[in-house]
Amino acid sequence: MRIRTALAALSVLALAACGDGGGSTPAAVETGPVELRMTIWSANEAHLKLFNDIAAQYKSAHPNVSVKFDPLPFESYTTTLTTQIAGGNGPDLAWVLEESAPDFVGSGALVPLENLDQPDDLTPAATKLWQSGGKLYAYPFSTSPFGMFVNTDLLKQAGQDSPADLVTAGQWTWDKAFAEGAAVNAKTGTAGIVVRDFDYKTWGNLSTVWTGWGAQAWSADGKTCGFNAPEMVDAMTALHQAVFTAKAMPGPGVAADFFTGQSAMTITQISRASLLKDAKFGWDLVPLPAGPKGKYSVVGQAGLGVLKKSKHAGTAADFLSFFTNAANSAKLAQYFPPARKSQLNAETMAKTNPLLKPAQLQSVVIDGISNGVVKPSHTGSAEIAQNVRASLDPLWKPGADVKSVLDTVCTGLKPLLAK
């Protein structure tokens, strides 16, 4: 049922190209009362406060316009958004996650953004996923590499080396990280490593691990499944052993929140750092461990676009331009690394990221953006996501035949990748 719902909703995106306005620039800002709604995936109070502060500044110049930010659960964000669009209740503006960028950009569901502030300041790497036909259809307001937050107190309690020292010594590898996670669990009973927002459902977040083995979900052209390639089999075997043999990672159904002290390490982005403001334990942020293929970085992206079906597309586009201008981009950089070349340096980012040191921002964020690969994305992302999730379910059990499960994933994916 969830797959059918997602497919029906995504068909609406395809039809959006035939809606009013075509591919043209939306009309100017309206003069009558307007309430814009913008869907987002974060309900974090600090994020919402910043967004509302920016909206209030816009309202001071446009008293007739108010903006409502509508947080949707991350794990079902895209399905909920596309279902809203299918039901005629779509937002005016929306965050679009990188996995669904090809669907939203390619379908014509978004209007082209032609009045952005200082568009030449945007890095080509950050805008690549959001362009079509030479036009930009979503502003890459967050280009955020994943890093490893570590609870230094728990690691010390378990007699483990500091990851920062291991990074300096060139010994920060997945073998070492798994060993430290297992030691923490064995000696303290606390969870070792958590891939945040994975929860044995959102498999795309595992790219933060498997990329270290040189694995990829599919080929660069999106036509060939990569789940049963030797690199992926090795990566998933290492993950399976970490969960079910070494106990370096909590198993299915076990909740462990790093930010409340329930795990020793977690993979996530710097937008989560605000959760450590009142942390009762020592912590650090380091790059992802090196894999058999060496050092690497994985980047999560989110684009902000205006829905063509919006009744207030012109006003929404104007607010988007204000929300992402140079001044507000600098403010948003506190949580969401910017796409602006002028702001992509540790000194500038440190001004709005008081919890993070310049060295942490340089090694995880700046270097990560320069060298990272973006999480998997493909047309038909909703159907692909559901298919892969269901096919991977048998993997998350003790004694699973990793290669056999991954062969099954590719059997299910092959016709979807061929569409």
Side-chain angles (χ1 to χ4, degrees):
M1 175 61 72
R2 294 181 67 182
I3 293 177
R4 289 199 299 271
T5 300
L7 285 174
L10 286 171
S11 69
V12 173
L13 295 183
L15 290 173
C18 302
D20 296 339
S24 61
T25 303
V29 181
E30 298 152 276
T31 56
V34 175
E35 180 176 272
L36 300 176
R37 181 166 67 93
M38 175 174 153
T39 54
I40 58 178
W41 61 257
S42 175
N44 181 289
E45 290 184 5
H47 299 172
L48 288 171
K49 182 181 185 304
L50 176 56
F51 297 162
N52 283 314
D53 286 347
I54 294 174
Q57 292 171 20
Y58 184 81
K59 188 175 179 63
S60 67
H62 302 85
N64 62 309
V65 181
S66 60
V67 184
K68 175 186 177 183
F69 298 98
D70 184 10
L72 304 178
F74 178 82
E75 62 273 11
S76 59
Y77 179 84
T78 299
T79 300
T80 303
L81 173 58
T82 51
T83 300
Q84 287 183 0
I85 296 170
N89 186 38
D92 302 287
L93 306 97
W95 285 12
V96 179
L97 302 180
E98 71 288 298
E99 63 188 27
S100 2
D103 285 317
F104 277 84
V105 173
S107 68
L110 305 173
V111 301
L113 304 177
E114 299 181 349
N115 296 302
L116 293 174
D117 178 57
Q118 301 178 30
D120 292 341
D121 194 28
L122 301 177
T123 64
T127 56
K128 181 179 179 180
L129 193 60
W130 311 100
Q131 290 181 321
S132 179
K135 294 184 177 182
L136 187 67
Y137 285 85
Y139 178 94
F141 83 97
S142 179
T143 300
S144 186
F146 288 82
M148 183 87 85
F149 283 91
V150 299
N151 183 320
T152 54
D153 289 351
L154 273 176
L155 289 169
K156 185 180 298 184
Q157 184 180 344
Q160 299 304 297
D161 295 323
S162 157
D165 291 342
L166 293 171
V167 170
T168 301
Q171 299 172 3
W172 181 232
T173 65
W174 271 111
D175 284 344
K176 185 62 175 176
F178 284 146
E180 294 208 338
V184 168
N185 181 253
K187 296 182 180 180
T188 71
T190 307
I193 303 169
V194 173
V195 181
R196 191 173 177 91
D197 297 318
F198 162 49
D199 196 29
Y200 296 89
K201 298 174 184 176
T202 312
W203 55 268
N205 280 2
L206 290 182
S207 64
T208 58
V209 180
W210 75 49
T211 303
W213 276 254
Q216 53 186 358
W218 39 74
S219 57
D221 63 8
K223 297 179 179 179
T224 305
C225 179
F227 274 93
N228 59 355
E231 296 85 356
M232 184 69 84
V233 174
D234 289 347
M236 289 298 204
T237 298
L239 268 168
H240 191 274
Q241 291 174 346
V243 174
F244 297 103
T245 304
K247 310 296 182 184
M249 302 174 68
V254 179
D257 180 17
F258 171 86
F259 296 96
T260 56
Q262 296 175 7
S263 74
M265 293 171 269
T266 191
I267 297 173
T268 191
Q269 296 156 300
I270 67 164
S271 59
R272 310 286 189 175
S274 61
L275 298 173
L276 291 166
K277 183 178 180 181
D278 299 314
K280 307 299 183 184
F281 54 85
W283 61 274
D284 199 355
L285 173 64
V286 296
L288 296 175
K293 294 295 184 180
K295 296 180 180 180
Y296 68 101
S297 179
V298 175
V299 177
Q301 274 200 322
L304 177 58
V306 174
L307 273 295
K308 186 178 296 181
K309 291 290 187 180
S310 167
K311 296 179 181 179
H312 310 292
T315 303
D318 190 71
F319 173 70
L320 186 152
S321 180
F322 178 81
F323 189 80
T324 60
N325 67 25
N328 287 325
S329 175
K331 297 174 185 176
L332 291 166
Q334 180 176 356
Y335 309 111
F336 309 105
R340 294 185 176 277
K341 290 175 283 189
S342 62
Q343 297 173 347
L344 273 176
N345 59 77
E347 181 181 358
T348 297
M349 292 193 65
K351 294 176 182 178
T352 53
N353 287 271
L355 292 177
L356 298 175
K357 302 173 184 177
Q360 294 171 326
L361 291 166
Q362 182 67 49
S363 64
V364 176
V365 181
I366 309 302
D367 293 347
I369 290 174
S370 300
N371 306 314
V373 298
V374 179
K375 285 174 58 185
S377 64
H378 202 285
T379 54
S381 60
E383 186 176 13
I384 287 174
Q386 296 285 5
N387 187 287
V388 174
R389 174 181 170 180
S391 297
L392 282 177
D393 277 348
L395 183 63
W396 311 126
K397 299 175 183 177
D401 185 330
V402 176
K403 178 63 165 59
S404 178
V405 172
L406 296 180
D407 282 339
T408 301
V409 173
C410 281
T411 299
L413 262 187
K414 186 176 180 179
L416 301 181
L417 297 181
K419 289 183 177 180

